[in-house]
Amino acid sequence: MSINQAQQKEIAELKSTANQTFRPVVKDLEELLYEPIEVLDHGFVRVIDYMGDDAAVVQAARVSYGRGTKQISQDRGLIRYLMRHWHTTPFEMCEIKLHIKLPIFIARQWIRHRTANVNEYSARYSILDKEFYIPAAANLAAQADNNRQGRGDVLEGQEAHDVLEMLKEDSERNYTNYMKMLNLNDTDDSKIDESKQGLARELARMNLSLNYYTQWYWKIDLNNLLHFLMLRADSHAQYEIRVYADAILKIVEKWVPFTYEAFIDYRMHSVNLSKQMRDVIVKMIKGEEVNQATSGLSAREWDEMMTKMGITN
Ligand SMILES: Cc1cc2nc3c(=O)[nH]c(=O)nc-3n(C[C@H](O)[C@H](O)[C@H](O)COP(=O)(O)OP(=O)(O)OC[C@H]3O[C@@H](n4cnc5c(N)ncnc54)[C@H](O)[C@@H]3O)c2cc1C
């Protein structure tokens, strides 16, 4: 279970009263409010609050372009125009607040995105739950040969078994010792030994490994969120952050469907070509002979271009 009893109670309470508002709301997102979307073995993403919708993007853009007509088809066209031409500030008019539970080693990658507001669970104040990430066997991959930041083939047989056992054993042992240092019983937080003081929480936590889960509230505007998704829903991003980005993409689709569609078309699934790559593509289209040696591209860039364009050598 990714959410604890207190959080379940909180969700039930929040959903027991409906508020009336004159502000625009997005029906599809309202239905998703507070509900956890499960990610990895104990993680989740849930929407806590949001401001704005596709219309807010359009309204902000019309301040600069004039009102024009308000037809839906034209709203879609305007949003696509904004996305295509990197006119990004109208997208900053929308904001979203998410509650995210994620392994600490993924939180370290996530926090590099400096344009969000973050409030993290305090392990100085509270005791961390005994929840640690153990990859599914299918995600237990070897180091890639051709990319120091990537994964290669999936580990198999005894090696996979041994790795999983080590991860579980070490995580279990670390938690047992964490609680021993705190001098607390795992089950009811009572003292293990009345004669001992127990180490401060802010120090005992250093014994936990990076696969332990932390939680935070993360608030970001739509433009910076799209930037985050562009980098972290990409195939080059680590699997464990990509699955969170994929969950957030689904939220964005419900929240701002026109913006989502334009983002997929003009950012996520578009390709960026260097001048040399563009020259090669033009030559190919014209039917001229071109290969890596004559292209001016390194072998690596050539391969990257072929992959981007879906062309096989
Ligand atoms: C596949 C991948 C591999 C990576 N590998 C590494 C690695 O090996 N080591 C490592 O340290 N990091 C690594 N990173 C992190 C990466 O370098 C960035 O720190 C991270 O992706 C955040 O990007 P950002 O700065 O654009 O985002 P944000 O911090 O969200 O910023 C968004 C945009 O705001 C602007 N901005 C924000 N803050 C400033 C500022 N202070 N000054 C100027 N402009 C600012 C920039 O235009 C920036 O693009 C990796 C990221 C990815 C996706």
Side-chain angles (χ1 to χ4, degrees):
M1 174 70 74
S2 59
I3 55 167
N4 60 32
Q5 275 187 337
Q7 285 165 342
Q8 280 177 36
K9 192 163 166 265
E10 185 197 326
I11 294 171
E13 276 170 15
L14 286 166
K15 294 191 94 166
S16 66
T17 46
N19 298 306
Q20 269 202 322
T21 177
F22 292 113
R23 289 167 42 201
V25 288
V26 179
K27 192 171 166 291
D28 285 352
L29 201 59
E30 290 290 311
E31 283 164 12
L32 205 66
L33 263 187
Y34 314 128
E35 297 294 343
I37 302 169
E38 300 204 352
V39 187
L40 299 179
D41 49 359
H42 299 288
F44 62 70
V45 175
R46 61 191 193 110
V47 182
I48 299 299
D49 205 356
Y50 66 98
M51 179 177 81
D53 55 6
D54 276 331
V57 175
V58 167
Q59 188 191 31
R62 289 210 167 106
V63 169
S64 42
Y65 294 130
R67 281 188 73 78
T69 169
K70 278 187 166 176
Q71 277 177 11
I72 285 189
S73 62
Q74 293 187 344
D75 285 358
R76 177 175 174 271
L78 178 53
I79 285 177
R80 292 179 74 77
Y81 176 88
L82 297 172
M83 191 70 74
R84 226 167 37 243
H85 294 278
W86 291 88
H87 184 162
T88 50
T89 44
F91 298 104
E92 292 172 11
M93 299 301 149
C94 298
E95 296 233 342
I96 194 157
K97 192 193 311 176
L98 302 172
H99 178 190
I100 298 149
K101 184 171 166 190
L102 70 175
I104 294 168
F105 72 102
I106 294 307
R108 285 182 57 174
Q109 294 189 339
W110 199 304
I111 203 71
R112 299 299 304 281
H113 296 267
R114 299 157 289 177
T115 42
N117 305 105
V118 188
N119 201 58
E120 188 174 5
Y121 182 91
S122 172
R124 291 185 71 189
Y125 180 77
S126 306
I127 299 161
L128 278 170
D129 290 333
K130 188 182 177 181
E131 283 177 328
F132 45 84
Y133 169 61
I134 300 293
N139 295 316
L140 216 57
Q143 178 63 44
D145 290 333
N146 57 354
N147 176 0
R148 287 196 197 163
Q149 280 202 341
R151 298 186 190 183
D153 295 334
V154 173
L155 296 185
E156 286 176 357
Q158 192 61 42
E159 187 179 7
H161 175 266
D162 291 348
V163 168
L164 279 177
E165 283 308 302
M166 279 189 269
L167 283 171
K168 281 182 209 158
E169 270 175 32
D170 288 357
S171 306
E172 288 277 352
R173 195 186 51 238
N174 286 351
Y175 197 82
T176 304
N177 287 336
Y178 169 66
M179 294 304 279
K180 267 192 205 162
M181 287 186 226
L182 293 173
N183 191 33
L184 293 174
N185 281 306
D186 192 0
T187 42
D188 57 1
D189 289 352
S190 61
K191 276 195 168 186
I192 297 172
D193 182 340
E194 288 295 337
S195 69
K196 287 186 179 168
Q197 290 188 81
L199 186 66
R201 290 166 190 185
E202 66 179 17
L203 283 171
R205 64 176 167 172
M206 72 177 141
N207 200 48
L208 295 173
S209 40
L210 295 181
N211 61 341
Y212 270 85
Y213 276 84
T214 185
Q215 301 185 33
W216 59 36
Y217 270 34
W218 192 70
K219 181 172 74 68
I220 192 163
D221 70 55
L222 179 57
N223 181 43
N224 285 309
L225 177 63
L226 297 179
H227 178 72
F228 170 86
L229 293 172
M230 179 88 186
L231 294 172
R232 301 302 181 175
D234 185 82
S235 60
H236 294 94
Q238 174 164 354
Y239 166 80
E240 282 80 11
I241 196 163
R242 211 165 64 225
V243 284
Y244 283 90
D246 288 344
I248 297 173
L249 267 178
K250 291 198 183 97
I251 293 170
V252 172
E253 186 178 13
K254 285 183 187 295
W255 176 28
V256 279
F258 289 160
T259 300
Y260 171 83
E261 185 196 25
F263 172 68
I264 294 295
D265 292 347
Y266 297 121
R267 301 278 170 81
M268 276 297 287
H269 293 178
S270 71
V271 292
N272 189 16
L273 300 176
S274 67
K275 177 192 174 298
Q276 290 78 4
M277 288 177 179
R278 180 189 165 278
D279 291 347
V280 169
I281 302 293
V282 169
K283 281 184 182 164
M284 285 177 171
I285 292 169
K286 286 182 178 167
E288 292 175 25
E289 182 64 29
V290 59
N291 57 40
Q292 187 262 312
T294 60
S295 67
L297 297 173
S298 68
R300 185 170 183 167
E301 274 186 294
W302 177 267
D303 287 345
E304 282 174 11
M305 178 191 68
M306 290 299 190
T307 307
K308 279 182 185 186
M309 300 306 293
I311 306 170
T312 42
N313 276 307

